[in-house]
């Protein structure tokens, strides 16, 4: 039988071999008809005597050739998400994949596409859009009863993207190559996501105001009522009336801020606590809600809410509750006053009320509610929340699970010598599609020598050290001009152009994934090439070689750090011993002093050494000095390290942050968690939370 074949995208590291061959079989009758068909001289559509059936797609069948090593992908794009950013993404996926794998959700066809590919083994789905797009796909998968259900990854294009943040996909898409997005979909781990039913028991009396039908009867992120729902409702009503005014994330966020301020002045949600009754697993929370006069109540399934905030906070100081998870079959109930809602943006949290498996909510007047961001005015009614099922999701790996360069451990060098080149934002915008020209006009900043498995977050520390003066480390010659604090990495491995790397995603990338012997950075505030004088010899920052035997002086330095001998350490430093020296396990003097709680030595090292030491990781556990101090409950050392700028977001090989290392010490956990929120809230994922 005649057939044509086409390939899925191979989501691995090779380009040569196809993955799944799909055979498209066309009915014999249509082949006969096409053979007799005469050449048309007009492109006008002919009206069929049989009606409009011929204008539809002809039936065809996909025959996959299964292999456990291959993970075919199906991409759904909402082109209207995120200020119409989806239209650009749609074109890019159409270019890199077979168009039959990419679907425009504005044209419909979601159900038909899933039906068509339902028997393809190891299928993964990529949802390009906001959290609402993800919910739509998950609900359709429920309706089709696909078994096994294909896991869903997320390319965030919406405004809040809370589910995407929870699954490590970030708060928004910048301009990362879609080929690398597909690699992350392949490498990601499959996790479970609780999904919750919302059942409204309708009143026999027709309501005068509001509705008894919710916009969605299932939620993945949260269900809320009160102040936040009122603000969202005003936004949706205004967008429906004037859609042309809401075509960018920035404008959308500004409207949210204005609507919130307006509601704050009107105090429209101040009496919410008097008109609701909440019962969780048989426990009546109404007295507490009325006592604290909450103006917003949130039923939360995932840690993130309202564009990245964490309303449940850290459980270290509340031993009555279990740690929050999105796969434990429990929902968190949180109450907010106006003050606690405002404090969310600076790391605060609401009042934790309950963790439960079933909720009965009764409203006695019409109140604004929202289901995963879809708002309405709910008439007086009784609403039941219960667990529906668990969906398979793809969580972006904290670190690539595969070693770079085709899993060949010998292909990854022990040391990388990288020339650092700067490109100004002005030149990048002007010449972004002329890669060779940008490469030619880039300005040398210096040379860094790092480990072969170095990630971008660590590499940033060494590049920043190029800006330090002699008193802070290795002597260096002066650079032509200094880097601004606001710079980002550029991916130079694509053939067509450079791509920016989101700073919040740097810990997910190896240096070897974005460059070879030169690393390019985008300086957002730096001068253009015409304003820079001769560069001269680049500066050099080099990490001491791993595995080399220690000199007696270096061994004495590390011994002093472990024992707390400040005089011996200062003597070693005066004799020229580098504070960056590390033992066979990768531990520096700062690691050892922090682990043992020697605050005087830690303070001395921070004064005399380089900032690179702060987030340097050991080779056995991937711990920074802050990880070491937190695990040993060294409160004073932790404060010194945090104040010096140690990262609270960096994870070790077990995926734990310093906050999680301190679990069990409520005071230290609360301090680190508060500092973590303060440092991440203003600039997380290139979005502004409102």
């Amino acid at each position: 039988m005649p057939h044509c074949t086409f390939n899925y995208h191979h989501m691995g590291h090779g380009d040569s071999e196809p993955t799944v061959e799909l055979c498209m079989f066309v009915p014999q009758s249509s082949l006969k008809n096409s053979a007799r068909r005469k050449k048309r001289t007009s492109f006008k559509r002919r009206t069929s005597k049989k009606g409009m059936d011929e204008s539809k797609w002809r039936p065809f069948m996909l025959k996959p050739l299964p292999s456990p090593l291959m993970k075919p992908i199906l991409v759904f794009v909402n082109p209207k998400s995120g200020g119409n950013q989806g239209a650009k993404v749609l074109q890019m996926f159409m270019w890199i994949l077979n168009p039959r794998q990419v679907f425009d959700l504005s044209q419909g066809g979601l159900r038909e596409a899933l039906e068509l590919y339902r028997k393809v083994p190891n299928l993964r789905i990529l949802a390009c859009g906001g959290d609402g797009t993800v919910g739509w796909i998950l609900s359709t998968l429920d309706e089709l009863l696909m078994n096994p259900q294909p896991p869903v990854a997320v390319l965030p294009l919406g405004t809040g993207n809370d589910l995407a943040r929870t699954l490590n996909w970030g708060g928004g898409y910048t301009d990362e190559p879609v080929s690398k997005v597909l690699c992350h979909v392949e490498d990601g781990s499959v996790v479970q996501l609780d999904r919750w039913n919302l059942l409204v028991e309708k009143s026999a009396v027709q309501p005068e105001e509001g509705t008894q039908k919710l916009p969605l009867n299932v939620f993945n992120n949260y269900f809320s009522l009160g102040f936040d729902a009122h603000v969202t409702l005003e936004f949706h009503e205004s967008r429906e009336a004037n859609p042309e005014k809401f075509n960018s994330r920035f404008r959308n966020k500004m409207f949210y801020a204005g609507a919130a301020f307006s509601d704050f002045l009107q105090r429209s949600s101040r009496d919410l606590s008097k008109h609701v009754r909440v019962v969780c697993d048989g426990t009546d929370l109404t007295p507490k809600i009325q006592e604290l006069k909450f103006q917003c109540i949130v039923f939360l399934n995932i840690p993130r809410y309202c564009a990245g905030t964490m309303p449940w906070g850290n459980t270290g100081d509340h031993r009555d509750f279990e740690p929050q998870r999105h796969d434990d079959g429990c929902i968190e109930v949180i109450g907010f006053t106006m003050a606690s809602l405002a404090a969310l943006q600076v790391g605060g949290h609401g009042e934790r009320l309950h963790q439960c498996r079933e909720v009965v909510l009764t409203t006695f007047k019409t109140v604004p509610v929202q289901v995963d961001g879809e708002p309405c005015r709910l008439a007086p009614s009784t609403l039941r929340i219960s667990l529906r099922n668990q969906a398979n999701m793809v969580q972006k790996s904290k670190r690539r699970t595969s070693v770079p360069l085709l899993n060949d451990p010998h292909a990854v060098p022990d040391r990388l010598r990288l020339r650092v080149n700067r490109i100004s934002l002005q030149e990048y915008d002007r010449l972004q599609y002329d890669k060779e020209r940008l490469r030619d006009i880039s300005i040398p900043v210096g040379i860094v020598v790092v480990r072969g498995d170095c990630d971008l977050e660590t590499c940033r520390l060494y590049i920043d050290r190029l800006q330090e003066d002699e008193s802070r480390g290795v002597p260096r010659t002066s650079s032509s001009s200094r880097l601004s604090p606001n710079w980002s990495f550029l991916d130079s491995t694509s053939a067509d152009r450079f791509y920016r790397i989101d700073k919040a995603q740097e810990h997910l990338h190896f240096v070897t994934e974005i460059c070879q012997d030169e690393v390019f950075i985008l300086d957002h505030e730096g001068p253009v090439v015409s304003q820079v004088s001769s560069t001269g010899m680049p500066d050099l920052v080099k990490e001491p070689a791993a595995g080399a035997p220690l000199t007696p002086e270096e061994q004495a330095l590390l011994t002093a750090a472990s024992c707390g001998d400040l005089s011996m350490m200062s003597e070693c430093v005066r004799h020229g011993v580098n504070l960056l020296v590390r033992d066979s396990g990768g531990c520096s003097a700062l690691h050892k002093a922090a682990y043992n709680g020697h605050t005087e030595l830690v303070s001395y090292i921070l004064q005399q050494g380089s900032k690179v030491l702060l987030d340097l990781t050991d080779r056995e556990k991937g711990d920074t000095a802050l990880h070491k101090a937190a695990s040993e409950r060294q409160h004073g050392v932790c404060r010194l390290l945090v104040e010096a700028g140690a990262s609270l977001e960096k994870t070790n090989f077990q995926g734990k942050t310093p906050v999680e290392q301190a679990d069990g010490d409520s005071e230290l956990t609360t301090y680190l968690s508060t500092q973590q929120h303060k440092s991440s809230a203003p600039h997380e994922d290139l979005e502004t939370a409102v």
Side-chain angles (χ1 to χ4, degrees), residues 417-418 445-449 462 465-466 474-477 537-542:
R417 183 182 177 92
L418 301 172
V445 175
I447 295 173
V448 295
V449 181
Y462 286 94
R465 192 184 169 205
L466 289 169
V474 180
R476 48 179 287 276
T477 58
M537 179 66 68
D539 305 324
L540 173 66
V541 170
K542 181 177 179 180

Side-chain angles (χ1 to χ4, degrees), residues 378-446:
L378 182 65
S381 54
T382 299
L383 187 147
R384 296 182 181 274
I385 303 176
S386 59
L387 183 66
R388 177 186 179 89
N389 58 22
Q390 288 188 321
N392 292 329
M393 305 298 295
V394 179
Q395 186 173 49
K396 188 174 181 180
S397 299
K398 286 283 187 181
R399 293 287 297 272
R400 291 287 303 276
T401 55
S402 53
V403 178
L405 306 179
L406 300 176
N407 290 326
D408 180 5
H410 301 292
V412 183
D414 291 333
R415 314 286 290 173
L416 293 171
R417 183 182 177 92
L418 301 172
R419 183 187 179 101
V420 182
N421 298 315
R422 176 178 56 210
I423 296 173
S424 72
L425 181 60
Q426 182 178 339
E427 300 288 8
Y428 178 81
D429 289 339
R430 184 171 66 89
L431 300 169
Q432 58 179 303
Y433 294 103
D434 190 345
K435 183 177 179 181
E436 292 307 314
R437 175 64 177 150
L438 276 177
R439 185 189 297 272
D440 291 341
I441 67 172
S442 62
I443 306 166
V445 175

Side-chain angles (χ1 to χ4, degrees), residues 7-19 70 406:
N7 296 330
Y8 277 108
H9 170 76
H10 181 214
M11 299 199 305
H13 300 287
D15 299 323
S16 58
E17 28 175 72
T19 58
M70 300 166 187
L406 300 176

Side-chain angles (χ1 to χ4, degrees), residues 576-591:
V577 180
N578 194 333
L579 284 169
L580 282 169
V581 69
R582 295 194 278 174
D583 64 12
S584 58
C587 287
S588 67
L590 185 60
H591 280 102

